[in-house]
Amino acid sequence: MAYEVEAPKYVRLAQTIQRRIEDGTYAPGTRVPSENQLVQAFGMSRPTVVRALELLKRDGWLESRQGYGTIVRGRPAVVEEKDRRGLEALVRDESQTPGRLVDVGQVVVPARVASVLGLPKSANVLRRRFLVEEDGEAAELVSSYFPAGLVEGTDLAGGDALASGVREHLEARKKVRFDHVTERVSARLPDTAEVELLGLPDGVPVLSILVIACDASGQALQVSDVLLPADRQELEDTYRLS
């Protein structure tokens, strides 16, 4: 059984507000709801709301203007330009990447992927799993999920490694356009297959980066679950104090 460590309430609230900025609910240049309105709308305490807003200001999604309130800045350029594993999952040329395509086939969509893709929990989706290796050692396991309507007319269901990134392939074959990526990080214990593929010792957890690739309207086109052995990772982030 897999267990996930849920993010703190203020982080989840910040993620919700961020998604509303991305889908246009809170348009750039407009004011976000007041702290009182957010408390009532989400049923969270004022300290939780304040921490969520401060997190979004720190990351460049919001800004405070004297006498006007908290304003939406839109998606920060730093978020678009920063090298992230989500981008790697979209542009990776499987045929040139050390590792191997583990399997390709129809599976019942995992619950948290279903909610993002807007599918019922019993729906089938295509899953491609690719094991990335570094210096002959398993480095990450990438499970990418695609709704059926996006697979037809592509090479995604084939058993061969793609000779281009998924983004390039889908934009060429399906005439869709990827606009932005959201990443959700959690930690959990791996299942038996994941332990074997990643070569993990007993009891070692994995970091799960759920990569949600969307078009400009906010519709998810692809969801990838990037698993990293927690005992081999060191995550670092630097930001300026205001």
Side-chain angles (χ1 to χ4, degrees):
M1 180 179 294
Y3 297 91
E4 286 191 14
V5 177
E6 192 171 40
K9 285 185 178 181
Y10 78 94
V11 174
R12 301 202 305 272
L13 176 57
Q15 291 171 337
T16 298
I17 295 173
Q18 178 182 318
R19 287 195 292 272
R20 294 190 179 188
I21 295 173
E22 291 176 327
D23 67 21
T25 301
Y26 300 150
T30 63
R31 284 187 293 183
V32 295
S34 68
E35 291 177 8
N36 285 337
Q37 290 172 323
L38 291 172
V39 167
Q40 294 175 4
F42 293 99
M44 294 187 178
S45 67
R46 183 177 299 276
T48 297
V49 169
V50 169
R51 290 190 71 184
L53 294 176
E54 288 301 318
L55 180 60
L56 291 166
K57 291 174 187 175
R58 188 204 77 183
D59 289 346
W61 294 89
L62 304 175
E63 66 176 330
S64 295
R65 291 185 185 173
Q66 188 74 25
Y68 197 69
T70 302
I71 307 300
V72 177
R73 295 183 62 186
R75 190 181 313 116
V78 67
V79 174
E80 295 178 316
E81 296 170 0
K82 188 175 181 180
D83 182 28
R84 291 181 178 269
R85 289 188 184 269
L87 180 60
E88 293 177 15
L90 291 177
V91 304
R92 177 180 288 121
D93 181 340
E94 294 176 344
S95 66
Q96 299 298 317
T97 300
R100 60 188 173 90
L101 189 63
V102 176
D103 57 54
V104 180
Q106 296 287 326
V107 298
V108 176
V109 61
R112 66 175 182 160
V113 175
S115 64
V116 173
L117 291 175
L119 297 174
K121 294 181 179 180
S122 58
N124 286 334
V125 293
L126 179 75
R127 182 185 68 184
R128 292 179 64 89
R129 286 201 299 178
F130 191 90
L131 184 68
V132 180
E133 297 177 345
E134 294 180 0
D135 299 324
E137 182 180 48
E140 62 184 72
L141 178 63
V142 184
S143 299
S144 296
Y145 300 89
F146 306 89
L150 203 62
V151 175
E152 186 177 355
T154 73
D155 295 335
L156 293 176
D160 296 326
L162 288 179
S164 66
V166 172
R167 174 183 179 179
E168 180 182 348
H169 186 73
L170 283 174
E171 288 187 339
R173 294 291 185 91
K174 302 297 290 186
K175 307 304 179 184
V176 296
R177 180 172 176 79
F178 287 77
D179 180 76
H180 59 275
V181 171
T182 298
E183 298 180 5
R184 302 176 185 173
V185 182
S186 60
R188 64 175 174 83
L189 292 175
D191 62 28
T192 303
E194 293 164 350
V195 168
E196 182 177 348
L197 287 168
L198 289 169
L200 297 173
D202 290 342
V204 172
V206 290
L207 294 179
S208 169
I209 305 175
L210 194 69
V211 180
I212 306 166
C214 303
D215 61 18
S217 71
Q219 174 63 48
L221 301 173
Q222 168 189 344
V223 178
S224 295
D225 190 11
V226 181
L227 295 186
L228 308 170
D231 62 342
R232 306 171 202 165
Q233 304 304 315
E234 181 175 341
L235 303 181
E236 180 177 329
D237 189 15
T238 301
Y239 55 89
R240 189 179 302 278
L241 296 175
S242 58

